[in-house]
Structure formats: structure tokens, C-alpha cells
Amino acid sequence: DQQVKQNSPSLSVQEGRISILNCDYTNSMFDYFLWYKKYPAEGPTFLISISSIKDKNEDGRFTVFLNKSAKHLSLHIVPSQPGDSAVYFCAVFEIQGAQKLVFGQGTRLTINP
Amino acid sequence: ETGVTQTPRHLVMGMTNKKSLKCEQHLGHNAMYWYKQSAKKPLELMFVYNFKEQTENNSVPSRFSPECPNSSHLFLHLHTLQPEDSALYLCASSLPGTGTSPLHFGNGTRLTVT
């Protein structure tokens, strides 16, 4: 059973608009959440993270929101730029538990000029 | 340069071959990982090494054999693979002891088993 789900395999957004990527998880014990970005022919790179004691973390154009009651995580990119076109993976971690980073299956974001 | 270097970038092997994937990190990390990425699937953790000791084997078949001679190098030895083992194999490193330390990934080895 998949513990982390990114239900949209792809998303297309106009340049300059907001991109919203979503992620749902099943285990309420997860307490650290990360987003990774992956370009073709490259490994994933860390983008932004949030701990369960917060509901928002912002870094430049990137903001991650956490809704613990809904077990939902989202990444907002605004304004979207062509260089943001990539596959985005959410990942979750349980500090006191299995000590494993569990990834979603990814969402391919395409920014159209 | 990502700080984590994987070789080769591409590998085609037959089911009876033996080959090895290599990973090297220059970030001073002490935890190293092998992940598998198959098409349209999440990244799957295969093995974890902390300070050269294997701390995780995520039910990986014995035809995959990891080796970590020191904290900077990680190998994945392959033998008698199956076509369904074709995937992107990613190496990563991080600071140990906390999963909140972001992983630094290499660019992967694209493996095709014929």
C-alpha cells in the first residue's frame, strides 16, 4: 500500500502563474516532509522541507504548506518560470519510527511560455 | 558537479553478466544509499549504509549485492539480473543519524537488462 501519493502525474502551467503540486500521505506519525526536483538525466535535488510543527515554510518563489489534519502537503511555485519544468517528488519521514524516507511517484510539471 | 558521482551513466547487460555500479561522494557524508527508480513508480529504497555498516536492506533480491568499503564509496554488484530489473539506479548520501538531513543524489545509472 502506497503511503505517499501524488495523484497528478502531470501538470501544465502558464509562465508567470502559480503552480500547485499536491501530495497526500496516510501515516499521521510522519513528522518531516520534503520536496525534491528532478530534471531529465539528473538525480533529484532537494528543494524545500517542513517539519510537522509548522504549517508553512517559504523560500523565495517556493512555499510548502502542510495540513496535518488532512494529511496533505502542497508546494506552491509563484511566479512559475520555464526552468521550473521538471518532475517533483514529495517525500516523508518518521523521526521516531522506521527512519526511512518514503517518496511519492512524482508529478511532471511543464511551464509553458 | 553534484558532489555525488555515479559510473557508468548507462549500462546494458545480459542476464548472465556480472557488472558493478560505482558511487563516490565528496561531501563528507557518512550515510550512503541505493535507490531504484522504475517507470511511473516512486523511488524505492534498496540499501542504507551508515558509517560503512549496512543498516537497511529493503527486501532486495540477492542478485543485488552492495559493498561499502569506506564512507566515500558505495558499489552495487549485479549478477543474473532479470529484464524487470531495468531501471534508473540512484546513489545518494547524507549526514547520518537524522532523516531530516536532505539526501544528495548522483545522476544515476540507467540499467537495461536484455
Side-chain angles (χ1 to χ4, degrees), chain A residues 2 4 32 34 36 38 41-46 49 87 89 93 95 98-106, chain B residues 9 35 37 40-45 56 58 88 90 97-108 110:
Chain A
Q2 209 167 320
V4 183
Y32 201 75
L34 307 93
Y36 284 80
K38 184 180 184 301
E42 294 184 13
T45 56
F46 170 72
S49 63
V87 177
F89 295 95
F93 189 80
I95 292 174
Q99 301 274 312
K100 287 187 204 180
L101 196 61
V102 180
F103 284 86
Q105 65 269 55
Chain B
R9 290 298 308 273
Y35 278 86
Q37 187 185 14
K40 298 183 181 178
K41 286 188 177 180
L43 274 75
E44 299 173 58
L45 178 64
E56 180 77 35
N58 202 24
L88 179 68
L90 290 160
T98 170
T100 58
S101 172
L103 299 178
H104 292 253
F105 285 89
N107 288 334
R110 174 69 62 186

Side-chain angles (χ1 to χ4, degrees), chain B residues 11 13-16 36 38-39 63-64 79-89 111-114:
Chain B
L11 178 62
M13 60 186 289
M15 289 190 285
T16 58
K36 175 184 178 182
S38 304
R63 57 186 185 268
F64 295 91
H79 64 97
T80 59
L81 293 193
Q82 305 298 311
E84 59 265 29
D85 296 323
S86 298
L88 179 68
Y89 289 85
L111 174 67
T112 303
V113 181
T114 61

Side-chain angles (χ1 to χ4, degrees), chain A residues 2-93:
Chain A
Q2 209 167 320
Q3 298 186 72
V4 183
K5 292 183 181 179
Q6 293 177 254
N7 290 317
S8 298
S10 64
L11 176 66
S12 187
V13 174
Q14 201 72 22
E15 182 180 359
R17 307 295 289 268
I18 185 170
S19 296
I20 300 176
L21 298 133
N22 294 302
C23 178
D24 296 299
Y25 59 94
T26 57
N27 187 347
S28 59
M29 299 303 291
F30 290 135
D31 42 19
Y32 201 75
F33 307 86
L34 307 93
W35 284 95
Y36 284 80
K37 173 180 178 181
K38 184 180 184 301
Y39 292 119
E42 294 184 13
T45 56
F46 170 72
L47 192 57
I48 193 169
S49 63
I50 188 169
S51 73
S52 59
I53 61 173
K54 295 186 175 181
D55 54 20
K56 177 182 174 182
N57 187 27
E58 190 172 351
D59 183 3
R61 297 184 297 113
F62 302 91
T63 303
V64 56
F65 294 92
L66 177 63
N67 183 333
K68 291 185 287 294
S69 60
K71 299 191 189 72
H72 181 79
L73 183 69
S74 63
L75 175 68
H76 292 210
I77 307 173
V78 57
S80 300
Q81 298 174 354
D84 296 329
S85 296
V87 177
Y88 289 79
F89 295 95
C90 67
V92 301
F93 189 80

Side-chain angles (χ1 to χ4, degrees), chain B residues 1 7 11 16 19 24 29 38-39 45-47 53 59 65-67 70 83 85 98 100-101 105 112:
Chain B
E1 177 60 53
T7 54
L11 178 62
T16 58
K19 296 285 184 183
E24 185 174 357
H29 292 160
S38 304
L45 178 64
M46 300 176 72
F47 301 104
E53 298 296 320
S59 303
S65 174
E67 179 189 0
N70 55 61
D85 296 323
T98 170
T100 58
S101 172
F105 285 89
T112 303

